[in-house]
Amino acid sequence: MKRLNQQVAIVTGAGRGIGKAVASHYAREGAKVVVAELDEQRGEQLVQALTSTGADALFVKTDINQIADIEALTNTAKEHFGSIDILVNNAAVTRSLDFFEVSEADWDWIHGVSSRGLFFCMQSVARVMKEQGHGRIVNIASIAGKGYPSTSNIAYAGAKGAVIAMTRIAASTLAAENINVNAICPGVTRTELYHEVVKGKMHTLGKSEAEIIELFDGTIPIKRSNEPEDIADLAIFLASSEARNITGQSWNVDGGLVYD
Ligand SMILES: NC(=O)c1ccc[n+]([C@@H]2O[C@H](COP(=O)([O-])OP(=O)(O)OC[C@H]3O[C@@H](n4cnc5c(N)ncnc54)[C@H](O)[C@@H]3O)[C@@H](O)[C@H]2O)c1
């Protein structure tokens, strides 16, 4: 039996990396997937790939920094599939910046998508979930939000700390509505974003690519950085009925970097 059979799931930032792995794994587990993505080409390509395997998927071009886009996403998903059972809040942005380099524009860009956008996605979709009487929300945070120091920058760490705090508040507020809210905190994960951050660190720390990868990966106790699928596996569990009595938690998937 597929673990997410006929469940309707919105995945934000599903065009590549962790979001793409989550959307693909969800589709394989029988979910109907709404690919909410800023990049049209990536979003359409993924939907084509999913539907070619017989899955039900819909692309909705979405900038989660725009409240109107979020409302349109919720309405389109509800109208098209009739319900929204799962929301995976995955989209976030960052780049490698030294403490003294972070500008107001960097702060607004990072927080606009990674914490503000995430909150308004939760709020908008939770209205539908409340009406339905059930729902699952999985927020993709980061071990940066728990103080892991080798992060891209302090503004990003702050945004991810906000995601962890909001996960707890949302879980306690929405528990009465039968909506579970959990977060996943990935550690080092080999996506395009990771490679962009590595390139930025090469510039800020004046080290080679191999040295930066060693800095990130060499300290992992299990000696293995994540593949996006490592995050997708936990995202399936948290959205499945097996996680029915788990809410408000922030789960690290990081090979043992952070114990919190
Ligand atoms: N890669 C890592 O090492 C790592 C570690 C910890 C946490 N994370 C978190 O995992 C999540 C996914 O990261 P990733 O590495 O796959 O990132 P990525 O940059 O590879 O992919 C992110 C996707 O989100 C989309 N996106 C960006 N802004 C958007 C917006 N405003 N609206 C809608 N979509 C938007 C992008 O187009 C892209 O397709 C993020 O929340 C990230 O912070 C990643």
Side-chain angles (χ1 to χ4, degrees):
M1 176 72 175
K2 293 184 172 179
R3 292 160 83 193
L4 303 178
N5 211 19
Q6 299 298 312
Q7 300 287 295
V8 177
I10 295 178
V11 184
T12 68
R16 68 177 194 184
I18 291 171
K20 186 176 179 181
V22 171
S24 307
H25 276 50
Y26 274 23
R28 213 175 306 150
E29 288 293 339
K32 300 174 183 179
V33 181
V34 181
V35 172
E37 167 62 54
L38 183 59
D39 186 305
E40 222 158 307
Q41 201 185 353
R42 281 179 210 155
E44 274 167 1
Q45 271 175 5
L46 178 62
V47 165
Q48 255 176 24
L50 296 178
T51 48
S52 73
T53 66
D56 210 347
L58 174 74
F59 171 54
V60 182
K61 182 172 161 44
T62 312
D63 178 355
I64 65 155
N65 207 7
Q66 305 294 330
I67 308 292
D69 273 23
I70 294 173
E71 288 308 317
L73 167 67
T74 303
N75 292 337
T76 306
K78 172 91 188 343
E79 275 164 26
H80 188 84
F81 285 123
S83 67
I84 305 170
D85 306 297
I86 303 161
L87 166 67
V88 181
N89 257 321
N90 166 77
V93 291
T94 191
R95 67 192 180 105
S96 185
L97 289 167
D98 172 71
F99 179 92
F100 292 104
E101 275 180 332
V102 175
S103 67
E104 191 180 356
D106 292 320
W107 179 278
D108 291 346
W109 173 62
I110 291 165
H111 280 253
V113 178
S114 313
S115 62
R116 176 183 179 271
L118 177 140
F119 165 67
F120 284 106
C121 285
M122 279 206 288
Q123 188 192 56
S124 177
V125 172
R127 286 197 178 107
V128 174
M129 291 175 166
K130 180 178 172 181
E131 234 173 73
Q132 294 168 175
H134 71 271
R136 291 290 165 88
I137 298 175
V138 180
N139 292 325
I140 307 297
S142 168
I143 56 170
K146 296 182 174 180
Y148 174 63
S150 295
T151 185
S152 49
N153 67 69
I154 190 167
Y156 175 76
K160 293 301 189 175
V163 172
I164 294 167
M166 288 192 288
T167 297
R168 293 175 182 169
I169 303 293
S172 63
T173 308
L174 299 174
E177 314 298 340
N178 192 26
I179 301 169
N180 295 32
V181 188
N182 288 287
I184 300 177
C185 299
V188 180
T189 309
R190 290 185 292 268
T191 65
E192 289 86 342
L193 180 66
Y194 162 73
H195 288 294
E196 283 164 15
V197 171
V198 167
K199 278 191 207 126
K201 289 275 181 205
M202 286 163 67
H203 171 69
T204 50
L205 300 178
K207 291 183 185 290
S208 70
E209 187 172 11
E211 284 170 326
I212 299 296
I213 291 177
E214 169 60 20
L215 182 77
F216 278 138
D217 293 11
T219 53
I220 300 171
I222 286 183
K223 296 290 177 217
R224 178 181 172 277
S225 46
N226 293 317
E227 291 294 348
E229 288 68 27
D230 295 309
I231 313 307
D233 283 336
L234 181 55
I236 289 173
F237 171 70
L238 290 174
S240 76
S241 62
E242 292 158 333
R244 58 194 163 272
N245 219 25
I246 301 174
T247 198
Q249 308 302 315
S250 299
W251 302 93
N252 302 347
V253 180
D254 66 350
L257 278 169
V258 170
Y259 297 89
D260 171 15

